[in-house]
Amino acid sequence: MLMEAQSQQQATKTHQYDAADVVLDCQAKQIFYSDFLAVRDSHVPIVKNKITGFIGPSGCGKSTVLKSINRMNDLIRGFRFEGNVHFHGMDIYDKKVDPVSVRRNIGMVFQQPNPFSMSIYENVAFGLRLNRYKGDMDEKVEKALRGAALWDEVKNKLKNNGLSLSGGQQQRLCIARAIATEPQVLLMDEPCSALDPIATRQIEELMVQLKERFTVAIVTHNMQQAQRVADQTAFFAVDISRGGRTGYLVEMAPTAELFSNPQEELTKEYLHGEFS
Amino acid sequence: MKNSSNETFHLPKLERQPFEPRALKSIVLSSITILSAVFACVPLFSVLIMLIYRGGKRLSFELFYALPPTAFETGGGFGNAILGTLFMVGLAALISVPFGILAAIYLAELGKYNKVAQIARFCAKTMTGLPSILAGVFAYAAVVLIMRNYSAWAGGIALSLLMIPVVMLTAEEAIKMVPQAMKDAAFGMGCTQTQSLVKVILPVAMPGLITGVVLAVARAAGETAPLLFTALFSDYWLRVNEPTASLAVLIYNYSGMPFENQIELAWAASLILVLMVFILNIISRAIGGKKRI
Ligand SMILES: Nc1ncnc2c1ncn2[C@@H]1O[C@H](COP(=O)(O)OP(=O)(O)OP(=O)(O)O)[C@@H](O)[C@H]1O
Ligand SMILES: [Mg+2]
């Protein structure tokens, strides 16, 4: 009964999409870190060749949901995901699914830049080598670096260690590393938080280009950014009513609709607070 | 009447005030730390100076190719002991390095949270405190009694018992030092556990791994007690199935002898042992340094 009621409620919150357009359907019933219920009842469909933005206050579980989508959280002790994530007709949490293959098809850019301690070139070539890419490596590396708006800054020092770059450059290197293998879906956790406005714009342009071929999900604290790039926006909030601090999806809709005409009171308040 | 704005406005004093209490305190404290640091070097340098002074005059090529002299002979050397030490320490490294590093990978990565790892870590920590003579006694019972002979094998095995925990614990620390964010990145790119270890984690941990191995080798090279029960000593060239000479046991034996020649050789052997460890340290720094960020 309760489940039914919840899924009813769910249906009203999440805008309905044509099933054929949804490349990745994330239905998170409950996400735990050990005993701590971090996220509940969040149905986030990710539409193909579109950018899906995740917004919401700090600690509401945006990163948690995002990482659940490519099973990054498997590495955390005590992590438990209840629900399913449909990707190409398979549930990626199915026992038969190899999480390594999932991660090769669903790329990730993390909140903190985390290049490998190896040359800039090798950082970008890393995923290609992992997939035993046989073609012109130099060309792929250059293309990825150009895509991440980093090429001009590093083209003369590709042999230098990736860690010798500035924070913002490191983040763009991580973006280049992630797009070099051309994953079908790219998850980005606040990719621009360490970047200056120019690099941020470049990355936003990149995302818009990327969506022609890939699908992107991006977490951002920047409402303007969400409005600029996201086609769909999911708003999460923290529910403290049941004693814990559990995040959940409040509302998801096409971006323009969500910002101009939010259905939920909470969304209104949050957007109002952000803009005032 | 004074202008009130004048009264409240002070120019900040920016010049150094060397005689203020807080400046004095900091001068005194830093002098103490410097003195302590210098003092820590005193034992090492006094040993080195003494070794060079007493052992340096016997340094010659003969030491490396000649066999030990008999009681009243002059000259001679300890080529067999150098070879024996190299062989036994080499054997011990061959056993303990792969074994220790694989165990460390389990402790630091694969079995991070499980009971087996906790028990293994506890055992290794206990073993670092194991008196080295016990390693000798164990190898005596486990190898010498069974092979019915003192041998270089038994010596190498005894030394490896001392090296394994050192290699294992330093390697575990080195692997743990690799930032979690970098490990996440490896998994995020779709590495398997093995790929993330080989391609990302171990290369970054390499300087630490090398340091651990060098520490362990240096410790083993100077150990006497475990060899007394296992390799014993020999006046002849290395034969691996028979008693085998080593620098450490030679120093131990000869320094107590009433013959000038043997005592001089013991000093020279000490100097060479220290130089061997020293050179190993430098080589490892050269290798490890290249990998550093
Ligand atoms: N590894 C972890 N172990 C335990 N709890 C965690 C872990 N990671 C996150 N949490 C908890 O889960 C909740 C959601 O965290 P999450 O990182 O997903 O938030 P977020 O929305 O991404 O916040 P931010 O905008 O600050 O990045 C928080 O209460 C956090 O304390
Ligand atoms: Mg986050």
Side-chain angles (χ1 to χ4, degrees):
Chain A
M1 263 316 275
L2 186 70
M3 287 298 282
E4 256 173 46
Q6 273 177 0
S7 58
Q8 274 296 305
Q9 192 188 2
Q10 204 64 58
T12 58
K13 276 190 214 166
T14 306
H15 198 84
Q16 291 303 296
Y17 301 96
D18 190 349
D21 292 338
V22 176
V23 62
L24 206 154
D25 198 20
C26 173
Q27 302 183 331
K29 293 206 174 65
Q30 291 188 312
I31 308 180
F32 289 94
Y33 290 106
S34 301
D35 296 336
F36 174 64
L37 176 62
V39 175
R40 65 168 172 82
D41 310 317
S42 300
H43 176 200
V44 190
I46 310 252
V47 180
K48 194 169 184 203
N49 296 108
K50 290 275 182 311
I51 300 176
T52 304
F54 289 29
I55 59 171
S58 185
C60 66
K62 304 180 296 294
S63 300
T64 301
V65 172
L66 199 72
K67 285 185 187 164
S68 301
I69 293 176
N70 74 342
R71 296 196 58 173
M72 268 313 290
N73 283 328
D74 286 19
L75 308 169
I76 294 168
R77 193 187 186 198
F79 174 80
R80 210 166 79 245
F81 179 91
E82 282 174 15
N84 38 57
V85 179
H86 286 290
F87 184 51
H88 290 295
M90 284 273 255
D91 176 8
I92 65 160
Y93 279 88
D94 194 302
K95 283 207 172 57
K96 281 181 293 201
V97 169
D98 176 10
V100 170
S101 320
V102 170
R103 294 184 205 120
R104 288 197 188 173
N105 286 294
I106 306 179
M108 173 122 208
V109 176
F110 293 80
Q111 200 162 353
Q112 302 296 330
N114 55 0
F116 297 127
S117 174
M118 51 180 80
S119 71
I120 293 169
Y121 185 96
E122 285 304 319
N123 261 288
V124 182
F126 188 88
L128 295 165
R129 293 202 199 287
L130 214 55
N131 293 317
R132 302 224 169 71
Y133 177 73
K134 286 283 178 305
D136 186 347
M137 192 65 86
D138 291 356
E139 187 192 311
K140 282 270 186 187
V141 169
E142 176 173 343
K143 191 172 155 212
L145 284 168
R146 280 190 191 281
L150 187 61
W151 174 251
D152 290 328
E153 283 156 77
V154 300
K155 63 184 174 201
N156 295 323
K157 50 177 186 177
L158 291 172
K159 289 213 158 57
N160 290 15
N161 195 305
L163 293 168
S164 67
L165 297 174
S166 78
Q169 289 173 327
Q170 286 186 14
Q171 187 63 307
R172 279 177 285 155
L173 179 60
C174 294
I175 294 172
R177 181 177 67 186
I179 61 176
T181 55
E182 313 198 346
Q184 296 183 23
V185 180
L186 188 61
L187 309 174
M188 303 174 114
D189 197 346
E190 292 182 48
C192 302
S193 57
L195 302 186
D196 65 61
I198 294 171
T200 301
R201 271 303 162 94
Q202 285 170 325
I203 297 302
E204 288 174 5
E205 277 163 27
L206 165 72
M207 280 186 272
V208 174
Q209 281 170 26
L210 281 175
K211 77 174 181 183
E212 286 167 15
R213 285 172 299 152
F214 318 121
T215 303
V216 181
I218 175 182
V219 172
T220 178
H221 275 293
N222 182 328
M223 296 302 122
Q224 283 76 16
Q225 181 171 57
Q227 283 177 301
R228 281 195 299 264
V229 301
D231 300 297
Q232 312 287 335
T233 300
F235 170 63
F236 292 79
V238 187
D239 176 9
I240 45 177
S241 65
R242 299 183 201 173
R245 295 187 60 84
T246 300
Y248 67 106
L249 179 73
V250 177
E251 181 172 4
M252 179 167 177
T255 305
E257 217 168 286
L258 185 101
F259 278 88
S260 61
N261 184 21
Q263 298 298 309
E264 301 285 325
E265 203 51 42
L266 260 175
T267 319
K268 259 178 227 162
E269 276 173 31
Y270 185 71
L271 295 179
H272 184 72
E274 283 292 329
F275 290 124
S276 61
Chain B
M1 222 177 98
K2 276 187 186 171
N3 189 331
S4 70
S5 73
N6 260 349
E7 214 165 30
T8 50
F9 183 76
H10 292 292
L11 264 180
K13 275 193 246 162
L14 296 177
E15 304 86 41
R16 282 179 188 281
Q17 306 284 329
F19 299 110
E20 265 186 8
R22 75 188 159 100
L24 283 176
K25 205 194 277 174
S26 115
I27 290 169
V28 169
L29 280 178
S30 39
S31 326
I32 292 175
T33 56
I34 292 169
L35 271 179
S36 312
V38 170
F39 200 72
C41 299
V42 169
L44 176 67
F45 280 107
S46 18
V47 168
L48 262 183
I49 288 165
M50 184 152 75
L51 285 181
I52 291 167
Y53 172 69
R54 311 267 323 235
K57 56 181 176 233
R58 265 308 283 269
L59 225 48
S60 69
F61 276 118
E62 197 189 4
L63 293 182
F64 294 89
Y65 63 73
L67 287 173
T70 52
F72 294 101
E73 245 181 313
T74 56
F78 40 72
N80 60 340
I82 294 176
L83 204 60
T85 289
L86 288 179
F87 179 83
M88 288 187 287
V89 172
L91 175 64
L94 229 52
I95 299 171
S96 62
V97 170
F99 190 85
I101 290 182
L102 288 175
I105 288 173
Y106 187 75
L107 296 193
E109 281 294 313
L110 308 184
K112 245 184 289 194
Y113 308 113
N114 89 28
K115 265 265 149 2
V116 178
Q118 282 170 13
I119 294 170
R121 186 181 300 115
F122 177 78
C123 293
K125 278 185 181 157
T126 314
M127 261 176 64
T128 50
L130 190 78
S132 57
I133 197 160
L134 289 183
V137 173
F138 173 80
Y140 176 78
V143 186
V144 177
L145 289 185
I146 289 167
M147 284 178 66
R148 310 231 175 117
N149 204 355
Y150 295 99
S151 65
W153 301 115
I157 290 170
L159 293 181
S160 75
L161 292 179
L162 296 171
M163 286 175 66
I164 286 170
V166 179
V167 173
M168 193 164 142
L169 294 174
T170 47
E172 188 197 355
E173 281 313 308
I175 294 171
K176 277 193 188 152
M177 292 286 280
V178 178
Q180 185 59 43
M182 218 183 268
K183 296 175 186 169
D184 287 348
F187 283 105
M189 289 303 294
C191 282
T192 60
Q193 183 88 54
T194 316
Q195 287 169 329
S196 76
L197 274 164
V198 172
K199 291 171 189 278
V200 176
I201 300 175
L202 292 182
V204 176
M206 194 54 77
L209 300 184
I210 291 174
T211 309
V213 170
V214 170
L215 267 178
V217 165
R219 175 171 182 202
E223 282 292 349
T224 316
L227 296 179
L228 285 175
F229 292 90
T230 51
L232 223 60
F233 193 73
S234 152
D235 286 329
Y236 307 103
W237 287 101
L238 174 70
R239 269 176 295 174
V240 290
N241 290 319
E242 293 185 18
T244 301
S246 59
L247 286 172
V249 175
L250 180 131
I251 296 165
Y252 175 77
N253 285 347
Y254 283 14
S255 59
M257 283 192 177
F259 310 112
E260 194 55 38
N261 189 21
Q262 266 77 356
I263 290 175
E264 274 177 27
L265 282 178
W267 281 111
S270 312
L271 180 62
I272 284 175
L273 193 56
V274 169
L275 287 180
M276 275 164 63
V277 171
F278 189 68
I279 289 168
L280 189 70
N281 252 313
I282 291 175
I283 293 173
S284 73
R285 267 173 183 276
I287 302 170
K290 272 192 210 130
K291 284 271 173 193
R292 223 156 281 181
I293 303 163

